[in-house]
Amino acid sequence: MERLTQRIGVVGAGSWGTTLAQVLADKGHPVDLWVFEEDLCEIITETMENSFYLPGFRLNDNIRPSHDLEAVVRDHDLVLMVVPSHVYRRVATQMLPFLKPSCHLVTATKGIENDTLLTMVGIWEELLAGRNDIELLCLSGPSFAREVVQRIPTAITLAAGTLEVAQRVQHILSMDYFRVYTSLDKIGVEIAGALKNVIALAVGACDGLGFGYNTRAALITRGLAEITRVGVRMGANPLTFSGLSGVGDLVLTCTGELSRNRTVGFHLGQGKKLDEILKDMRMVAEGVKTAKSAHFLARKMEVEMPICEQVYLALYQDKDPTSAVRDLMQRDLKHELEYAV
């Protein structure tokens, strides 16, 4: 199998981007890390700590922070892109002239663009139209940054267009505490990673309302059904949703105390307004914007996504979470497995 020369850049120095840079640096790779905030770039350079997004952890000396996007992308064989979904297209457009032919580009952002309903790989496919010399991959799975950076054993999924490409990058990313599995289902991995955040908002809201484990289990299970339904309609392999990037990431995000999306939902359930919740958060809860995409994606694909719909109504039409739960429970009765109807 052909190997990359392994000049590596990571675009985005939030908690997950910084953590992925740390994983690669732990393996001995020099890593160029693009930091959007000039003051944060200076802090990381001076202290080797990301005090904004990952405080308390010293970074590997193999990490080289930079505020110069071109320096982090140009002539690099492997580039990981880890910026919030709402600025993804803007940053990708800026990166486009600097991408090296044969570059392997891994998107590790979980989201669906509001205006186009494209995944992050979909955005790149649109921007790269007519150019076939860039390998696109996506990385997703149950992986809280604060646990990975502590070298707590974690498993994740890497999807690519061919097995050879997936394995090439798999060997670069994998190490003793970070196990990477390959997949050929990019759309399934991305849809699962994006929509689980919306379900986590619902679970958090029900926790905030004081409901119990029964409610949580029901939301996770029926949420998985919604994610699978739309994913398969978009061409995904249904088995992907029972893997790490599907049920694995869904369970983690819906139950883990480190989940930003669950936390936002919890505060909504306790009666706080969305603007009030978000103004106190430095890091992005992707599910808030993805809920809007899910609403329009369900209409476009003509599939039922009742949990995602109620989350959208709670976030964007100020629907009371208690009423949202009532409406979910009072829907027309169904057969559980759609194929058996």
Side-chain angles (χ1 to χ4, degrees):
M1 180 175 61
E2 182 186 353
R3 301 226 176 231
L4 296 173
T5 57
Q6 300 171 12
R7 189 172 181 197
I8 300 171
V10 176
V11 176
S15 59
W16 188 223
T18 304
T19 296
L20 288 173
Q22 180 84 331
V23 170
L24 289 158
D26 275 357
K27 199 165 180 182
H29 300 295
V31 181
D32 294 312
L33 175 65
W34 181 67
V35 188
F36 171 72
E37 302 93 339
E38 288 190 65
D39 53 347
L40 177 58
C41 188
E42 292 176 4
I43 290 170
I44 297 175
T45 301
E46 293 172 3
T47 68
M48 291 311 291
E49 179 184 343
N50 187 334
S51 57
F52 284 17
Y53 302 110
L54 207 62
F57 299 100
R58 192 183 191 286
L59 301 180
N60 193 300
D61 289 337
N62 284 331
I63 295 174
R64 301 176 298 211
S66 173
H67 185 62
D68 184 347
L69 184 60
E70 180 178 359
V72 173
V73 176
R74 186 179 291 280
D75 296 326
H76 285 63
D77 307 282
L78 175 63
V79 176
L80 285 74
M81 191 170 176
V82 204
V83 300
S85 62
H86 65 279
V87 298
Y88 198 94
R89 181 181 290 272
R90 185 192 320 158
V91 177
T93 303
Q94 293 170 354
M95 290 168 56
L96 198 57
F98 311 134
L99 289 173
K100 173 184 177 180
S102 77
C103 172
H104 289 54
L105 179 59
V106 180
T107 177
T109 298
K110 300 171 181 177
I112 299 170
E113 192 174 41
N114 284 160
D115 293 338
T116 64
L117 304 182
L118 292 173
T119 64
M120 304 303 101
V121 168
I123 291 172
W124 273 115
E125 288 174 340
E126 185 176 275
L127 293 176
L128 291 167
R131 185 174 174 182
N132 300 316
D133 58 347
I134 305 295
E135 299 286 359
L136 295 174
L137 306 90
C138 58
L139 185 71
S140 189
S143 49
F144 285 145
R146 292 188 69 85
E147 292 194 2
V148 177
V149 81
Q150 294 177 76
R151 302 176 179 86
I152 292 173
T154 300
I156 199 164
T157 301
L158 176 72
T162 69
L163 187 58
E164 180 184 5
V165 169
Q167 289 176 336
R168 199 178 294 154
V169 179
Q170 175 190 39
H171 285 284
I172 295 173
L173 285 170
S174 295
M175 57 184 310
D176 54 1
Y177 65 87
F178 195 71
R179 184 172 177 84
V180 179
Y181 287 85
T182 58
S183 167
L184 298 178
D185 185 13
K186 286 188 284 188
I187 188 64
V189 167
E190 284 202 288
I191 288 295
L195 294 179
K196 57 90 183 178
N197 288 327
V198 183
I199 304 304
L201 288 165
V203 171
C206 286
D207 288 347
L209 287 166
F211 297 145
Y213 297 120
N214 292 355
T215 311
R216 182 187 291 181
L219 282 170
I220 291 172
T221 308
R222 295 310 303 167
L224 181 62
E226 292 187 19
I227 295 169
T228 304
R229 191 181 301 137
V230 72
V232 170
R233 181 65 63 88
M234 296 175 72
N237 182 337
L239 294 177
T240 295
F241 302 101
S242 53
L244 288 166
S245 61
V247 68
D249 208 2
L250 179 65
V251 169
L252 180 75
T253 309
C254 289
T255 62
E257 296 298 324
L258 295 174
S259 169
R260 297 192 292 271
N261 293 284
R262 179 187 171 276
T263 299
V264 170
F266 184 84
H267 290 309
L268 283 171
Q270 291 192 316
K272 293 184 179 179
K273 297 299 182 183
L274 182 62
D275 289 345
E276 178 187 358
I277 299 166
L278 296 182
K279 72 179 175 60
D280 295 327
M281 296 180 67
R282 181 185 287 274
M283 291 187 283
V284 175
E286 286 284 5
V288 174
K289 291 189 179 297
T290 305
K292 182 179 290 186
S293 297
H295 168 75
F296 290 105
L297 187 63
R299 291 186 175 186
K300 178 181 178 181
M301 304 309 298
E302 298 182 339
V303 297
E304 287 191 350
M305 300 180 68
I307 298 172
C308 290
E309 180 64 16
Q310 292 301 325
V311 171
Y312 169 79
L313 293 173
L315 292 176
Y316 293 102
Q317 297 188 17
D318 205 27
K319 185 171 184 176
D320 176 59
T322 302
S323 300
V325 174
R326 182 198 62 225
D327 289 349
L328 282 172
M329 294 299 291
Q330 293 181 354
R331 294 174 63 242
D332 290 344
L333 298 177
K334 307 280 186 178
H335 191 91
E336 182 177 21
L337 303 179
E338 295 175 35
Y339 65 81
V341 178

